[in-house]
Amino acid sequence: MSNKTVAKCNRKKHTGRVITRFGSELLVSNGDQPPIRCTTKRKLDHVACGDHVLWQANQHGNATVSQILPRKNALTRRTYRGTPKTIAANVDQLLVTSSWLPRPIWELVDRYLIAAGQLQANAIIIINKSDLEQKQATAIDKKALQDYRDIGYSVIAINALTGEGVDELRQLMNAKTNIFVGRSGVGKSSIAQHFLPDIELLVNDISQNGEGQHTTTTATLYNLENDAYLIDSPGVRDYALDELTARKLSDGYREFAPYIQDCRFNNCTHNHEPKCAVRTAVKSGEISNPRYQRYLGALINMENMT
Ligand SMILES: Nc1nc2c(ncn2[C@@H]2O[C@H](COP(=O)(O)OP(=O)(O)OP(=O)(O)O)[C@@H](O)[C@H]2O)c(=O)[nH]1
Ligand SMILES: [Mg+2]
Ligand SMILES: [Zn+2]
């Protein structure tokens, strides 16, 4: 091959998937070859873990991502400054992870379920550290978990120290891009470690760092067996939904759906309006009151912010 042809070949565009991102540097999958380091142009600044991209080698022996291929969806959150930040792209399933210590925050679980609905992604609820359940779980917590089961979510109890519950989760991950979400210290990386025996993930060492230290610093995509992908992501203190509306909020409470059409007003927010079928269903016990109360809390929060 002439030098010219070689140069041309090198400039061929390849497809790959973003494994992780450090500032402007990306690690991109390269078929059977080891992943390749790429830089990206400023206009592609929103590229995220899980994106399918086109990349090409350039004359200097580096590689550049030239295009982000169309996304199925993107999980974004609002930063404390109020700007949206993309956590990961092209996700099929959110693994919404809580633990018995730090304690579960059911409002936060609800928020991730709303996000999953918006992304048209499935959601699985994981409650980790089941070794601490007996000591920590209150009647309110047990009701919260039962409520999720009653409205059709899979709830999996896991003990990442022993591996209990891990196989049940594994079965539900096949042929999907799964992402762990949840607060720092709940054990996302500890669970992920069971799926990645050959890689050593960073797991928080409480004895050194104390509870609630952020260990995982950047979202990273791993390719597992059975066409499953797994993204381990850093815990966030408080997940805030981006571009929330009253409609999106009530859509996220899937158990409201059968009643909404019977509300008197078609823009009913299920708060103070007369003849609200959702409120009636709460009163009769068909909709869980704690879930409804959390919905109301989120609605009032949202109204206060706009
Ligand atoms: N008792 C108990 N401890 C656990 C369990 N799973 C994880 N841990 C501990 O919880 C701590 C936090 O675990 P990580 O896996 O680092 O948590 P993480 O969710 O990945 O945290 P970030 O990366 O900061 O978001 C570690 O000290 C783990 O050893 C469990 O099932 N039971
Ligand atoms: Mg982690
Ligand atoms: Zn209503």
Side-chain angles (χ1 to χ4, degrees):
M1 255 193 290
S2 74
N3 280 349
K4 220 171 168 182
T5 330
V6 169
K8 227 179 189 169
C9 282
N10 286 345
R11 268 181 275 134
K12 189 176 154 230
K13 292 194 173 172
H14 307 266
T15 55
R17 196 159 186 202
V18 176
I19 295 171
T20 189
R21 166 176 183 171
F22 304 95
S24 63
E25 201 170 282
L26 304 170
L27 197 61
V28 177
S29 69
N30 184 13
D32 297 337
Q33 305 292 309
I36 184 147
R37 280 184 189 280
C38 299
T39 53
T40 177
K41 297 180 187 129
R42 183 157 293 182
K43 70 171 192 302
L44 299 182
D45 200 38
H46 56 294
V47 65
C49 173
D51 262 321
H52 296 284
V53 294
L54 292 183
W55 63 269
Q56 65 195 121
N58 60 31
Q59 299 97 316
H60 314 294
N62 307 326
T64 316
V65 165
S66 55
Q67 197 183 328
I68 302 174
L69 296 173
R71 281 176 174 171
K72 170 189 163 173
N73 59 25
L75 177 63
T76 56
R77 69 182 176 94
R78 241 180 319 107
T79 65
Y80 65 96
R81 286 200 200 95
T83 45
K85 186 176 188 306
T86 306
I87 302 167
N90 302 311
V91 298
D92 302 312
Q93 186 156 268
L94 265 57
L95 310 179
V96 182
T97 311
S98 310
S99 74
W100 293 113
L101 203 71
R103 289 198 31 79
I105 301 176
W106 303 117
E107 286 81 359
L108 182 62
V109 173
D110 285 0
R111 245 174 278 155
Y112 279 119
L113 299 181
I114 297 165
Q118 291 301 310
L119 296 178
Q120 298 189 302
N122 199 30
I124 291 176
I125 295 169
I126 295 172
I127 177 84
N128 187 35
K129 311 199 187 183
S130 55
D131 50 309
L132 306 177
E133 175 174 354
Q134 229 182 359
K135 214 166 153 193
Q136 299 293 332
T138 64
I140 292 173
D141 295 327
K142 287 179 186 164
K143 160 100 173 108
L145 287 171
Q146 190 54 47
D147 284 344
Y148 291 125
R149 290 195 181 94
D150 289 346
I151 56 175
Y153 288 105
S154 299
V155 177
I156 304 182
I158 289 183
N159 177 344
L161 302 184
T162 62
E164 168 211 325
V166 167
D167 281 336
E168 193 184 343
L169 175 59
R170 194 194 310 264
Q171 312 249 319
L172 299 176
M173 288 169 54
N174 292 344
K176 293 193 175 83
T177 296
N178 301 270
I179 181 168
F180 274 114
V181 291
R183 297 165 73 199
S184 185
V186 297
K188 299 179 294 299
S189 299
S190 303
I191 300 169
Q193 187 68 79
H194 288 274
F195 302 111
L196 299 159
D198 302 333
I199 300 170
E200 199 175 328
L201 296 182
L202 275 180
V203 166
N204 191 1
D205 182 349
I206 284 189
S207 61
Q208 274 177 22
N209 296 331
E211 190 197 310
Q213 285 277 334
H214 292 252
T215 308
T216 306
T217 52
T218 171
T220 306
L221 176 85
Y222 301 95
N223 193 348
L224 312 180
E225 289 171 354
N226 301 323
D227 282 330
Y229 287 87
L230 178 62
I231 300 175
D232 188 18
S233 82
V236 289
R237 199 169 298 274
D238 197 14
Y239 174 72
L241 290 153
D242 191 33
E243 294 177 7
L244 191 60
T245 61
R247 185 58 210 258
K248 285 185 186 175
L249 185 62
S250 65
D251 281 350
Y253 286 78
R254 55 161 67 159
E255 67 273 41
F256 294 5
Y259 303 97
I260 285 177
Q261 69 211 23
D262 296 329
C263 291
R264 177 163 172 188
F265 300 107
N266 63 13
N267 60 352
C268 185
T269 63
H270 325 301
N271 182 6
H272 48 73
E273 294 91 340
K275 298 236 162 84
C276 168
V278 170
R279 272 213 335 262
T280 307
V282 174
K283 277 190 199 124
S284 68
E286 286 163 69
I287 289 178
S288 143
N289 189 42
R291 274 270 289 179
Y292 174 68
Q293 295 303 327
R294 297 201 294 271
Y295 161 80
L296 274 190
L299 180 72
I300 290 161
N301 255 339
M302 192 197 75
E303 287 172 347
N304 287 343
M305 282 183 55
T306 49

